[in-house]
Amino acid sequence: MSRQTGPKASKPEPLATPMEEGIIDFEIIELFFFAYRDFVSDPDAILEKSGFGRAHHRVVHFVNRNPGMTVADLLDTLKITKQSLARVLKQLIDSGYIRQVAGPEDRRQRKLYPTKSGRELALALAEPQSRRIERAFEGASAEVREGVKAFLSGMRDRQRAD
């Protein structure tokens, strides 16, 4: 479809009707938007006080969940480039939340560990999220919880054996 330019280009008609439900489940999509917005809102407020953002949150979370993981492992987990990680990781190291240690066999390998402050930050960020999850599961059976976990696992692009 070609796009007209210049003085005679027609303006697209505005559509006044919402997209209709059909093969696309807009309700679930919107629930994801709102759930994600609210799920990250508490950690975002905590991170903002330190001048950090969601990328810092992800790094702090995964380093605390996997102390000693390599930078390569973290890049693979987050699916980001070295350049994207470098600034965030430097800020977390300089702020004393993460320590980077050379590998015992290969000095070029960089292993990442949380510090006590990094562990405290990770817990401070996870606690409001955990409370939100528990409120959502209030009164739900163990089967419902397992179903939600299966659903969320199914949403991932790449399944991992845990």
Side-chain angles (χ1 to χ4, degrees), residues 61-62 65-66 69-80 149-150 152-162:
H61 173 82
F62 285 107
R65 292 285 292 152
N66 304 287
M69 74 185 313
T70 64
V71 169
D73 293 336
L74 185 58
L75 289 168
D76 186 51
T77 297
L78 297 177
K79 299 292 181 218
I80 60 174
K149 286 167 52 177
L152 292 172
S153 293
M155 290 287 297
R156 293 180 63 185
D157 282 340
R158 187 177 94 196
Q159 295 293 314
R160 288 190 171 177
D162 292 323

Side-chain angles (χ1 to χ4, degrees), residues 19-95:
M19 292 188 290
E20 295 293 323
E21 295 284 335
I23 61 169
I24 297 176
D25 192 335
F26 291 113
E27 182 180 12
I28 294 290
I29 291 170
E30 289 166 8
L31 287 170
F32 263 100
F33 282 139
F34 297 130
Y36 180 73
R37 176 199 65 196
D38 295 346
F39 184 70
V40 298
S41 66
D42 297 317
D44 281 353
I46 294 167
L47 290 161
E48 189 176 358
K49 293 173 187 169
S50 301
F52 293 156
R54 291 183 187 160
H56 298 86
H57 184 182
R58 289 188 287 272
V59 170
V60 166
H61 173 82
F62 285 107
V63 170
N64 271 277
R65 292 285 292 152
N66 304 287
M69 74 185 313
T70 64
V71 169
D73 293 336
L74 185 58
L75 289 168
D76 186 51
T77 297
L78 297 177
K79 299 292 181 218
I80 60 174
T81 64
K82 282 183 189 179
Q83 185 177 359
S84 299
L85 178 61
R87 178 188 59 83
V88 170
L89 190 55
K90 180 176 179 358
Q91 288 174 320
L92 290 168
I93 291 168
D94 290 348
S95 299

Side-chain angles (χ1 to χ4, degrees), residues 95-114:
S95 299
Y97 293 110
I98 303 282
R99 287 258 343 259
Q100 184 172 269
V101 179
E105 294 90 33
D106 184 350
R107 306 287 299 158
R108 293 171 299 175
Q109 185 182 54
R110 295 175 295 154
K111 292 184 170 272
L112 303 172
Y113 295 90

